Amino acid sequence: MSAPSAPPSFRVWAVPGLPEVQPGDDLAKLIVGAGPGLVDGDVVLITSKIVSKAEGRVVRASDREAAIDAETVRVVARRGTLRIVENRQGLVMAAAGVDASNTPAGTVLLLPVDPDASARQIRDGLRDALGVSVGVLVTDTFGRPWRNGLTDVAIGAAGVRVLDDLRGGTDAHGNPLSATVVATADELAAAGDLVKGKAEGLPVAVVRGMSHVVAGSGPAGAGASDPAAGSGWEGARAMVRGAADDMFRLGTSEAVREAVTLRRTVRDFTDEPVDAAAVRRAVAAAVTAPAPHHTTPWRFVLLESQTSRVRLLDAMRDAWIADLRDDEKSAESIAKRVRRGDFLRRAPYLVVPCMVMDGSHAYGDVRRDTAEREMFVVAAGAGVQNFLVALAGERLGSAWVSSTMFCRDVVRDVLGLPDGWDPMGAVAVGHAAAPPVARAARDAGAFIEVR
């Protein structure tokens, strides 16, 4: 009978004796000089600060905020002076990773330009100097949503299986694993931070006993070199969740501003079906708009079947053609104008927002009655704007056009709407077939008058 195998374990320790890092230093040589006693399968954890210093990412900045601005791609959330942003490396973190600690006064440290490339260079240097196959992680300190406290995570990796995809396997009870992908590199980074500390001046740590996650070492199957991309070995960049899969991409007070920015007029859609529940959530946002006299002047007619969409669009087209003929437009001009609305037929989902004036006041005075209707029209527009922004937050494209306003009787008749419902255009909804075209910047000051 064979002896039971030892339970899994690993050892982690900090590497003392590294000198103060200067621009141009070879980090692999400095680590070798500290005598870490590396062997095949070890994982070397290196604080990003010394990588930045060696790569000359120390810049003069009398204003740290300006340096953060320069490194920021997208502001996710802001509270006072604190900003959570997406930086040039694609990482979502506080202050874009710009650090004013452990650097001379009047300077700041920026993150390495390409942390994965930095990790590869250090790994190659260690292999050349010591003849060992190790993994290298470049680490940095992150806060986490919903959790107090900081921890280290991997922002650069070489020779380490950063993600361990267990999907398709089973647990100890035989239950299928359908969503379990372990962030191995982040777990290693956090383990290293326990011994490196934040103020002890120990920027490098070594983990031993995890050779099964190091390329070119450990049990058979690990491979003689880094396996192909897509298998968890492709670097720490693989750990950054893409925008399409990020359920929490929008921040706090920035959520509305970001959704407004995302909102575009989209006229070209894919064939992907629209989630009816998402549209209903957008309607729920629409009806929070302000309205006069505590009224609710919004109604949204959802055309979810192709039959209803075609029937409405055919009737509207016929009415439009009749109007254009009455205006003595040429056949060519009529055909051209009608073609402009063809995108409505290609949209997988249509919504007809309507205004109702239930609760409005009748004054018997033209001026006041006109103003009363205008208040309701403004409220209807506010509701539609909420609707469009909420659709953008659901990652749905939309186009609001005025077409139904020119044939309201036709629309009411085809859709069986009450006489008091005034169609306020039509909204085409779907998944955009292409990324939105960059919007020209507008200076808000050009639209402001101060008195």
Side-chain angles (χ1 to χ4, degrees), residues 164-226:
D164 191 4
D165 191 347
L166 303 180
R167 292 172 297 183
T170 58
D171 64 16
H173 298 280
N175 299 310
L177 299 173
S178 59
T180 304
V181 181
V182 178
T184 306
D186 283 350
E187 293 182 328
L188 290 167
D193 191 47
L194 291 174
V195 295
K196 287 190 296 181
K198 299 299 183 190
E200 286 76 7
L202 298 169
V204 176
V206 178
V207 172
R208 180 166 296 166
M210 296 291 291
S211 60
H212 60 286
V213 302
V214 177
S217 64
S225 60
D226 293 14

Side-chain angles (χ1 to χ4, degrees), residues 376-401:
F376 276 76
V377 170
V378 169
V384 174
Q385 170 70 354
N386 277 13
F387 180 65
L388 300 178
V389 170
L391 289 175
E394 297 279 355
R395 293 300 191 270
L396 288 169
S398 63
W400 181 24
V401 294

